[in-house]
Amino acid sequence: MADKKRVYTFGDGRAEGKADMKNLLGGKGANLAEMCLIGVPVPAGFTITTEVCTEYNQLGKDEVVKLIKADVEKAIADTEKVMNAKFGSKGEAFPLLVSVRSGARASMPGMMNTILNLGMNDETVKLVAEKSGNEKFAYDSYRRFIHMYGDVVMRVEAAEGEHDPFEMVLDKIKKEKNYDSDADMNVADLKFVVEEYKKVVKNKAGRDFPTDPWDQLWGGITAVFDSWNTPRAILYRQKENIPGEWGTAVNVQAMVYGNMGENSATGVCFSRDAATGENQFNGEYLINAQGEDVVAGIRTPQEITIIGSKRWAERNGTPEDVRKAKFPSLEEAMPTLYQQLFDIQRKLENHYKDMQDMEFTIQDGKLWMLQTRNGKRTGAAMVKMAVDMIEEGLITEKDGVLRMEPNKLDELLHPVFDKKAIEKATVLSKGLPASPGAATGICVFHAERAAELAEKGQKVILVRRETSPEDLKGMYAAEGILTERGGMTSHAAVVARGMGKCCVSSAAGISVSHDSLKIGNKEYKEGDFISLNGTTGEVYDGKVATIQPTLDGDFGKLMLLAEKYTRMYVRTNADTPADAKVAHEFGAKGIGLCRTEHMFFEGDRIWAIREMILAEDVAGRKKALTKLLPIQRGDFYGILKAMDGFGVTIRLLDPPLHEFTPNDDATQKEMAEKLGVSVELVKEKVESLHEVNPMLGHRGCRLGNTYPEISEMQARAIMEAACDLKKEGFNPKPEIMVPLIGTIKEYKMQEQIIRETAEQVIKEKGVKVDYMVGTMIEIPRAALTADEIAQAAEFFSFGTNDLTQMTFGYSRDDVGKFLPIYLEKGLLKHDPFQMLDQTGVGQLVEMACKKGRETRPSIKLGICGEHGGEPSSVEFCHRTGLDYVSCSPFRVPIARLAAAQANLR
Amino acid sequence: MADKKRVYTFGDGRAEGKADMKNLLGGKGANLAEMCLIGVPVPAGFTITTEVCTEYNQLGKDEVVKLIKADVEKAIADTEKVMNAKFGSKGEAFPLLVSVRSGARASMPGMMNTILNLGMNDETVKLVAEKSGNEKFAYDSYRRFIHMYGDVVMRVEAAEGEHDPFEMVLDKIKKEKNYDSDADMNVADLKFVVEEYKKVVKNKAGRDFPTDPWDQLWGGITAVFDSWNTPRAILYRQKENIPGEWGTAVNVQAMVYGNMGENSATGVCFSRDAATGENQFNGEYLINAQGEDVVAGIRTPQEITIIGSKRWAERNGTPEDVRKAKFPSLEEAMPTLYQQLFDIQRKLENHYKDMQDMEFTIQDGKLWMLQTRNGKRTGAAMVKMAVDMIEEGLITEKDGVLRMEPNKLDELLHPVFDKKAIEKATVLSKGLPASPGAATGICVFHAERAAELAEKGQKVILVRRETSPEDLKGMYAAEGILTERGGMTSHAAVVARGMGKCCVSSAAGISVSHDSLKIGNKEYKEGDFISLNGTTGEVYDGKVATIQPTLDGDFGKLMLLAEKYTRMYVRTNADTPADAKVAHEFGAKGIGLCRTEHMFFEGDRIWAIREMILAEDVAGRKKALTKLLPIQRGDFYGILKAMDGFGVTIRLLDPPLHEFTPNDDATQKEMAEKLGVSVELVKEKVESLHEVNPMLGHRGCRLGNTYPEISEMQARAIMEAACDLKKEGFNPKPEIMVPLIGTIKEYKMQEQIIRETAEQVIKEKGVKVDYMVGTMIEIPRAALTADEIAQAAEFFSFGTNDLTQMTFGYSRDDVGKFLPIYLEKGLLKHDPFQMLDQTGVGQLVEMACKKGRETRPSIKLGICGEHGGEPSSVEFCHRTGLDYVSCSPFRVPIARLAAAQANLR
């Protein structure tokens, strides 16, 4: 361990690190080094590597301090030399004050606050005052330092029910002296505050504020490492899928001051517009201020460019003269420095070939860059910038595609809340972001009623304890869906995502009855407005205005690029002609999963299937199925037509029959009357269909093999629709899929029924339609015996939802009881229903692909689980050699982009 | 295909086949050939191979007849030559009549009836009459032939509600002529019957009875092939695990006649006693009869030996003079032929080195052997014969072990019905043979009540719709258990097998309410007697006497031999000191699975766990757990003591918590009162614990990782018990097992709790106890990532019950809806919960063993699923290199034998 380099210095046009050492130095550290190397003025300093953080977690504080002590002392000496200052100066030089910042590979705003002005104590403050000629600045810096250090390192916290103790000191003096702002304090006030702050620390932390700058420094460094494992940081990592092993680097850097007088300033700027993507330099700054003032919102920050400044004034109704006088842009206030900054941001963007988010400080007329990084941006900006940069020749097409965050396209595909409206809205609860988008409408508690009101033009939110297939009609009609229960892959969530409809599930602290929604003390009845943000999971009180997205030209250009660079194609999961059409417009090349059972719930169709369930024998079932045949044929006709020329994979009946029978007395009675039998018989049937673990029960091909007449009817409906289309000059490509296969024999029995029926229909209709027969791979045993199954199956479609359920032994419906705890405790990195578990479930997928191809090299392989629209899972599918992924219509563009990226990587 | 030999002839001391060609010639055919080769007198004939049966099923009748026509004609010619007779003789020679029999690799009594006298028609019958000088015999043979051929080949069946039409002809004539038996008919009667029989055939089959002997022969041969796939044969194969691909051979053999007069006879005999195993030649015969008469029961067959004859007379109270006059033994009636037969049976037993079951016919003073095969035997006879033969030097120890059918040991380990009593008993219903043995007692419908009555000395049968852990007490108290629902691995079945207690589940047509059992129109109330046969699944009306088994010396000798030749050792699944003791006596070397949750249901213990479930926080749970600690410690103390010196694998809490909460209002109220909370709170808790798929829910290590205090308490109880025992001079070897692991992280979190607690207890107690920590492999993902898990786990125990559930996606509780249909349709060969699915589930087991050993070569591997006591699965475990198998106490001897056999094979 001794031979490893742990500390990297930078400054004065030189650096030991560089941009591509991000994993070791963190994003911030690598960029500071890189900036030095390309001649951007950066205050000197050094970076302690991320590996040291890992050592810190393994070996503990004392060991690690021992390991890096000499290196850090040497690095401080280097910094002193470059900055011509002395850490812990006793008067021999200007005191070197430093900032201490965390810096992981990926930006982690959830982590540690920065410590500024480290090195200040009762002696150095005097030297700073003396050497800067600005005593107020010196003591202001000192009190800021104690505050920050007390907070971050010494963990000074407010007692319960109290305000921040440091703030209380300030409030007290400002009240006594009748000051409006902190800036009004004079030197005496600040000196008093410093002494009071020290007492706060002593009082709350139980020890004196450290006066030795070296003690301060080690406290700061170790606090950064400690901050890696705070609950807040862990939570953030979980949400952003950042592994805990990465660790954070620590950046120690000489302070420069934007608050040394009117010739000083500080600000943040962006090389392009992060919201719209427009190629327009922009940012904010404040004269005579430290960085935190810009973001704190105490003073109104000023725009950097004239154009930005003018737009700001327009938005705020500020007259031009007031703007010029009180809020001049940097371009106006410090034109030479502005030009320097402008050139630097161009240089940086050209160097990093991406939009830069920068921090700068002007100290006494000299410009310093404190940080640069690729800027965060909205989905729309992401797309526009990439397309612009490609057209400008700054980046290649491939880079443009690779740079996308596929999930961000979601923002472009769903309604969003109006930014101003949402700022004023009250958050009532937060649930799972089950299906993205924003929705506003009146609460309605029954599906039928929702459909009824929607028909009258009402915007409704369907509010349910949980949804079942019987709610489909209401879900279609609603703007959004809110459920008390259910996870990310509950019925409501899956179906809503399929519909591209906003859904929030498992909302905290809500309680839904048959006619009301309770949140805390509030009760919402039918007609009361609420709003949902399915992207964040937030539930709002009342109406909040939404904005419909428009898919502009850049989006189209990007999709064409994705098309150009992809190997794998993207299909969609769609059960209706309408969904198929939407997906086709989003670029889906076929349907990977059409769930025939969803068709059974619409209108009166449910009665035919209930009649079939009640039938005592084959003849009775066949009679009922005859009623379903023309209905299914009609649906298949519409879907095959919407996807003309592309493969349409239709899965035969999958859910257990009890999903179609009513559990409540009233509907059971209705069922008895409608079908002319006794209520007892209905109840008996319902009871006999009950299952302890329906997930592992009588469903899928187990239905088709025990009631072959169902498969026969469905095969007939598909093939009749296809033949009819063919006659009309279309080119239907049905792929009939058998669900829940565990053994080759199960498959073969279904295949035989399908092929016999298909050949029969082709003969009857006198027209030839090509069709395929294949199977879902969703039972572990099917994956394990894929070589056998491929002897007969022409295609495999991986049903990774069920495969995940069975490989983990997790019921999607019940996982809510322990999965959140597992994620919190780090027992699982990700929810395996959202992100494919490549180690376990993926192993089965790979095995099945390999075995399947060995038996049948031409076998068509795809995935139709929810994972088909999740970028990391799409990449896995590409690597594993699948032919296509299939996902819900509104995920199609995301999957297309992810597929292209996977191919380019 | 043309070059393959399809027909094998035999006769006159020569044969083309031999004994080891059983797969090709079937058991009967191979043995006929072998008998010829060793000089036993056998009527000549030929065998059509089993491969032809497979070709028949693939190519159809016409193709196959073409394939073998020349060979069959040649073989008939050979037979004619040897027997000096002519098939379809027109008078030039004695007519050759043949029998046609099926003969598969394994004996299949479920299959085809034999056709005798084939070759008879209106012409040959006259020749037979003439040449034999016995017209009555000739016409009797002819009418028998038409009857059999009509039944078997031409499928003449009785109309619904009518009697057999052939029997009706006989009945009519016997009534008219006032005859007592068929034998009273004279030649004229028989001629009339023949003509009437022909009419019956024409009438029922719609075509004339074939008169051409060749037509008859091809009809017979193809009927044998057809009989391979009758529902009856398929059912038998399923039950006996015989693959459908094996096919049957067809044996065509010259007829010899035991009914050619008083100098003729026919019989069956056994070289040893099939019931007791005694080395005593025995059998039955009839003078002037055909073989079917011996088994038909119309005439009383006579014993072959004098000793047998005397025993028979004693049993039936037949005076010695009557016996000698009317029922002399063959030894007395035909002493010379008896001696020939005696020598032949010795020769055959010595040749085949096993007890032989033989058929013979004496035709006009000449002895012919028609068949020999290894005889079926009872479990007791199987053991005795093997031990005797080893001691006689006839077979080696290894052969003796290999010859056992392990499952038959079951008969030796459980009570059985008294043979005579059971003959008179009325079968009420047939269910699944869920746990072997016989039981008789009064119906009781509640567990508590069963325990109460049993305490008073009543023999009770616990009758339940289905059982739950709350019924444990009653199950212990009962003689047997009868349930309306549930499969072979339902709670009732699994627990009963563990207790060695008779259980019948899913009994057909029964309906259980809270106070009665309805079977058909009969209703049984508390106090009414019923009897159960858990080995066959039969339910009987009233009391039926049972006999307790005694494990005699031969059983012990056999177990010692098994011990000598085994590699893998056998553990037991036991949850109580009592079970552990039983298993130890049966030779279990340790416990492979101790389910701690079963301990929670006894007496008042349930209240402590319910208190824990109701607790709102960790402190509340810990308080309740403190009450459970001494109880668990006591149990562990007893179990570790009973298995002193052997490893005891204790699984931490596994079932979902809702198994411990009551669902009925009354007990919920009781719970509320007992624990001092509101009923609403109890109901709320019960509701919140409800799961859609509990099998895949919050259970196993998911409990231990969300409520670590449970694992801590259990680890403490185990280690305290172990330390206490160690102090007392015992040698406890606890192995703590974490259930339901899917990821290494889950395991590690549990391991840490266990090891920290264990080290703490060891420190407290001041005594060192070696312990192991390991895990179940029962989730597919655990098998897939076994290399990771073995980094930390010291042992794997394969929970193949759950692994089968998840690998197949079958819920054991719900599989009853489709598994029977799957077995019937041949979609599954075996119930995978009874016989390990080596292709799928086994693949995961092999993978996990390989991966586990790669990471940790010393890892201990075992199996604790129900499969651990099933012979073919035990063999798989041996091949896969497991260290041990574990099964319920009463399966231990079976597993020991199977393990030895696996090692010897």
Side-chain angles (χ1 to χ4, degrees), chain B residues 799-875:
Chain B
T800 47
N801 294 351
D802 278 7
L803 192 59
T804 299
Q805 293 202 79
M806 286 181 249
T807 306
F808 271 90
Y810 289 173
S811 159
R812 274 189 289 172
D813 296 308
D814 304 308
V815 84
K817 293 210 170 68
F818 58 91
L819 194 60
I821 301 170
Y822 266 36
L823 290 171
E824 190 190 311
K825 292 193 177 181
L827 286 167
L828 283 174
K829 270 191 192 165
H830 317 294
D831 177 347
F833 292 111
Q834 286 185 53
M835 194 176 284
L836 187 76
D837 161 50
Q838 299 184 11
T839 316
V841 180
Q843 205 180 131
L844 285 175
V845 173
E846 283 170 356
M847 189 187 296
C849 288
K850 192 165 165 284
K851 288 186 174 198
R853 283 223 167 95
E854 272 167 17
T855 303
R856 182 187 291 263
S858 68
I859 195 163
K860 187 192 272 195
L861 302 171
I863 180 177
C864 63
E866 286 278 307
H867 303 99
E870 190 282 316
S872 77
S873 311
V874 171
E875 181 167 0

Side-chain angles (χ1 to χ4, degrees), chain A residues 688 690 692-696 702 705 746 779 781 784 807-809 811 814 817 822 825 837 843 851, chain B residues 688 690 692-696 702 705 746 779 781 784 807-809 811 814 817 822 825 837 843 851:
Chain A
S688 82
H690 170 79
V692 181
N693 295 292
M695 170 65 212
L696 307 175
R702 299 165 199 171
N705 279 330
E746 282 177 297
I779 298 268
R781 198 182 185 283
L784 291 163
T807 306
F808 271 90
S811 158
D814 304 308
K817 293 211 168 67
Y822 266 36
K825 290 194 177 180
D837 161 50
Q843 206 179 129
K851 289 186 174 201
Chain B
S688 82
H690 170 78
V692 181
N693 296 292
M695 170 64 211
L696 307 175
R702 298 165 199 172
N705 279 330
E746 283 177 295
I779 297 267
R781 197 182 185 283
L784 291 163
T807 306
F808 271 90
S811 159
D814 304 308
K817 293 210 170 68
Y822 266 36
K825 292 193 177 181
D837 161 50
Q843 205 180 131
K851 288 186 174 198

Side-chain angles (χ1 to χ4, degrees), chain B residues 336-388:
Chain B
T336 316
L337 286 162
Y338 169 79
Q339 193 55 47
Q340 273 179 35
L341 182 63
F342 184 85
D343 293 345
I344 285 172
Q345 63 89 14
R346 279 294 95 192
K347 189 176 199 171
L348 286 168
E349 187 179 283
N350 285 327
H351 182 71
Y352 287 109
K353 298 184 189 306
D354 201 354
M355 185 269 274
Q356 294 301 296
D357 168 355
M358 295 152 288
E359 292 175 18
F360 66 92
T361 283
I362 295 164
Q363 176 175 297
D364 208 13
K366 174 159 171 55
L367 174 66
W368 294 96
M369 298 307 292
L370 301 182
Q371 177 166 300
T372 192
R373 55 186 171 191
N374 293 342
K376 289 194 181 291
R377 62 206 71 179
T378 64
M382 174 184 77
V383 172
K384 179 166 173 49
M385 282 181 197
V387 171
D388 283 355

Side-chain angles (χ1 to χ4, degrees), chain B residues 290-309:
Chain B
Q290 279 204 11
E292 55 167 359
D293 299 331
V294 180
V295 286
I298 300 165
R299 285 166 62 189
T300 303
Q302 292 161 229
E303 289 285 329
I304 288 199
T305 59
I306 294 175
I307 185 167
S309 187

